[in-house]
Amino acid sequence: MPEYALGEDDSNGSDDLLDQMLMSTHAELLAAIDTEQAGGHRGVPTTAEDNIATSAAADAVRASRAVPGQRPANKREANGTTNPSSQGPITIGNVHNGTLAIGSHAYAVNHRSSEGRSDQATAQLLEAIRALRADLQRVRHTEQTAGLDAVLAATEEEIVATGHTRAGHREYLRAVLTASQTSVSALASAAAVAHLLEMG
Amino acid sequence: MSEMSAPADQQRGQMPQPSRDKLSLLPEERLRNDFDAFYVAEKRHVIRFLLWAGARPWEAEDIAYEALMRLLPDRWSTIEHPRAWLRKVTCRSWWRQHERNREDTADALPDLPGGLSPVTEIELSEQAQRVLHAVKQLPAMQRAVMAFLLDGADTTEIAGALNMSEDAVRANASRARRRLKEILRFESGESNA
């Protein structure tokens, strides 16, 4: 009897069938997660600083830190046998596309973009999104165009704030754009956004 | 709470085993000294755990990521059972988020799949979708118990993580399994599966 049956004793075999279905799904889920993650992996965080880089509140958190991003540099520090803060490093944070650290135990954290899009492609997408939003103001206002504009605004905001878009946002924008095709098919800017999303 | 994944998996000798990432079978010492290896090995398992608990893929990814983030920089080196801790924390985090979402019915903003997460959707076979759909019809506590069980936790560990008695864990598991069998048989049209 499977361990997680926890006392169930079903002699007609339905427990076995259920277990097979659960375990098969369990394995399939992991494979599907791996496939999905391979397409848009966020990357292994190297420091707490690196982790919060994806948060909308990252700047606020960084600003509140006297010594940001202190990762134990070696095993001794990880075990608490030294006190990194007593070394008095000076760290300059909030450098776009990276972090500069100065000090005896300081280290530089490279903010990796997990999206793999070039700056130029992102800039083109931002430009196209803005053009489409401007065009949307000139077409008949419907629930569909309002929804599309909201998603465009969110994507624009993300690009401005972080310098890139997440795969999830791009996928969603693509889906909303497709759903709004009847309203925006005449707009060249919509085609441009769709094209850039496809390229991404 | 004892470390849940590997020991429980080893105990489950008669079960068809889920394929485990090789990294999660690395010696504990290796993982303890290598956060990157732990991150890669565990994040996917935690995402799956949350999917069983009822989270959507992008929610699961975000919650898993945030929980792993909380282990840095210092907690990672001091916490006794990081795997168990991750599941306990992410399960509770998911419940809190789920409750907030339920309360916020007047939210005018579109629900953005992806959120902060690169995980949007995962593709599953028809049978896997049917099983997941069935699990989602269970009450939250039963889903959580099933998620822990499928992740290899034993009754004592689940009781500790969910702050309930071992009897309650067994009862939830039993009810969940009974209900799943009813749902799956009903949906597949099988009366004597």
Side-chain angles (χ1 to χ4, degrees):
Chain A
M1 183 167 55
E3 184 189 5
Y4 62 71
L6 295 173
E8 288 280 307
D9 187 9
D10 190 340
S11 56
N12 68 11
S14 62
D15 265 320
D16 288 343
L17 179 61
L18 177 62
D19 289 333
Q20 281 171 19
M21 292 176 83
L22 287 169
M23 296 311 286
S24 159
T25 304
H26 198 58
E28 197 179 316
L29 274 172
L30 200 60
I33 290 165
D34 287 344
T35 304
E36 175 62 28
Q37 295 252 308
H41 190 53
R42 201 197 296 247
V44 180
T46 55
T47 67
E49 181 78 357
D50 199 17
N51 287 328
I52 64 168
T54 56
S55 163
D59 285 347
V61 175
R62 285 194 201 100
S64 70
R65 289 182 174 182
V67 184
Q70 286 193 348
R71 184 193 194 193
N74 53 43
K75 204 171 175 180
R76 279 202 315 148
E77 284 185 15
N79 289 333
T81 52
T82 64
N83 179 6
S85 62
S86 67
Q87 304 297 326
I90 302 167
T91 303
I92 303 169
N94 283 345
V95 177
H96 280 289
N97 299 320
T99 301
L100 174 66
I102 303 168
S104 60
H105 280 77
Y107 60 96
V109 178
N110 181 17
H111 288 240
R112 294 166 297 179
S113 167
S114 60
E115 305 305 315
R117 288 178 64 87
S118 71
D119 289 347
Q120 191 183 358
T122 305
Q124 286 175 345
L125 180 61
L126 178 62
E127 193 179 334
I129 285 172
R130 284 174 170 163
L132 177 53
R133 291 195 69 199
D135 285 346
L136 284 176
Q137 302 303 314
R138 292 189 280 273
V139 302
R140 192 167 63 87
H141 189 77
T142 64
E143 199 174 308
Q144 227 172 32
T145 58
L148 175 59
D149 189 53
V151 179
L152 288 167
T155 311
E156 179 183 348
E157 193 177 320
E158 186 187 29
I159 294 175
V160 171
T162 67
H164 65 267
T165 53
R166 297 187 183 287
H169 282 182
R170 289 202 303 276
E171 286 299 322
Y172 188 52
L173 176 55
R174 187 181 291 136
V176 173
L177 200 54
T178 305
S180 310
Q181 205 168 10
T182 51
S183 304
V184 300
S185 58
L187 301 176
S189 55
V193 171
H195 175 67
L196 290 166
L197 289 171
E198 285 301 321
M199 287 175 63
Chain B
M1 186 186 297
S2 63
E3 192 61 66
M4 57 176 63
S5 299
D9 280 350
Q10 288 159 11
Q11 290 165 20
R12 213 168 44 217
Q14 300 172 353
M15 283 294 298
Q17 295 294 302
S19 60
R20 302 283 290 185
D21 184 278
K22 285 180 182 174
L23 277 173
S24 41
L25 300 177
L26 286 174
E28 189 64 17
E29 186 63 21
R30 159 79 189 278
L31 287 175
R32 291 294 291 185
N33 291 329
D34 186 347
F35 183 80
D36 287 2
F38 179 80
Y39 180 93
V40 171
E42 277 307 304
K43 186 183 172 195
R44 51 210 284 274
H45 290 288
V46 176
I47 290 174
R48 179 175 62 178
F49 168 78
L50 288 166
L51 291 175
W52 280 118
R56 288 172 288 189
W58 55 90
E59 293 169 328
E61 208 272 350
D62 275 344
I63 293 170
Y65 187 81
E66 284 166 14
L68 281 156
M69 180 173 83
R70 286 173 60 186
L71 286 170
L72 289 175
D74 301 326
R75 214 170 191 166
W76 161 246
S77 58
T78 57
I79 202 162
E80 193 177 358
H81 300 299
R83 286 195 184 103
W85 181 90
L86 272 176
R87 281 148 183 82
K88 182 176 174 177
V89 164
T90 54
C91 185
R92 291 179 180 183
S93 178
W94 158 239
W95 280 348
R96 280 197 300 274
Q97 182 170 321
H98 188 52
E99 281 305 307
R100 276 201 305 273
N101 291 345
R102 282 175 53 180
E103 287 165 9
D104 195 10
T105 53
D107 188 1
L109 292 171
D111 182 19
L112 286 177
L116 289 173
S117 158
V119 176
T120 52
E121 293 290 346
I122 53 172
E123 291 185 14
L124 296 172
S125 68
E126 194 177 326
Q127 176 178 291
Q129 287 181 41
R130 197 154 59 87
V131 171
L132 265 191
H133 180 68
V135 169
K136 283 185 177 177
Q137 295 178 54
L138 300 174
M141 191 60 79
Q142 290 179 20
R143 282 202 307 267
V145 168
M146 291 305 292
F148 272 99
L149 287 169
L150 284 160
D151 237 12
D154 63 29
T155 312
T156 309
E157 291 168 336
I158 300 170
L162 298 178
N163 199 22
M164 58 166 59
S165 69
E166 292 186 23
D167 283 344
V169 172
R170 290 189 193 93
N172 272 290
S174 178
R175 287 185 196 123
R177 292 176 61 83
R178 196 177 309 129
R179 179 72 184 128
L180 282 176
K181 282 185 279 187
E182 286 170 7
I183 296 169
L184 290 169
R185 272 183 281 186
F186 173 78
E187 286 185 348
S188 61
E190 297 167 19
S191 56
N192 294 303

